[in-house]
Amino acid sequence: MSAEDLEKYETEMELQLYREYRDVVGLFRYVVETERRFYLTNHVDLDVRSADGEVYFEVTMSDAWVWDMYRPARFVKNVKVVTFKDVNVEELAKSDLEVPTD
């Protein structure tokens, strides 16, 4: 596979992922962003923890969709993320659920 073929494949995968996002965003209530992933979910708990003087975050989600073009199944029943990096949780407003049409 040439570099051009690989780039074309990745571009098509990203477009397919965006289309899936556009189709499912209206099913979810929250957006959760971590340093590694972007999630849509209907239930999220964020707990701040500390151990040995270090602060970390424990994020638990259920009924989630994960933005990851390399996953064969993006719908996830339960997710638990533990991270020392920032976590952003936003509740989607109804106007946020309207994705512009092409």
Side-chain angles (χ1 to χ4, degrees), residues 35 45-60 80-87:
E35 79 278 4
D45 286 321
L46 176 63
D47 294 316
V48 180
R49 309 261 190 213
S50 65
D52 299 325
E54 296 288 329
V55 174
Y56 64 95
F57 303 97
E58 188 174 285
V59 185
T60 306
K80 186 173 193 174
V81 176
V82 178
T83 182
F84 288 93
K85 307 271 182 157
D86 290 340
V87 175

Side-chain angles (χ1 to χ4, degrees), residues 30 32 34 39-49 57-64 76-83 87 89:
Y30 299 98
V32 178
T34 68
Y39 301 89
L40 297 171
T41 187
N42 284 318
H43 179 77
V44 60
D45 286 321
L46 176 63
D47 294 316
V48 180
R49 309 261 190 213
F57 303 97
E58 188 174 285
V59 185
T60 306
M61 295 171 268
S62 59
D63 186 24
V76 184
K77 185 171 177 69
N78 295 299
V79 178
K80 186 173 193 174
V81 176
V82 178
T83 182
V87 175
V89 178

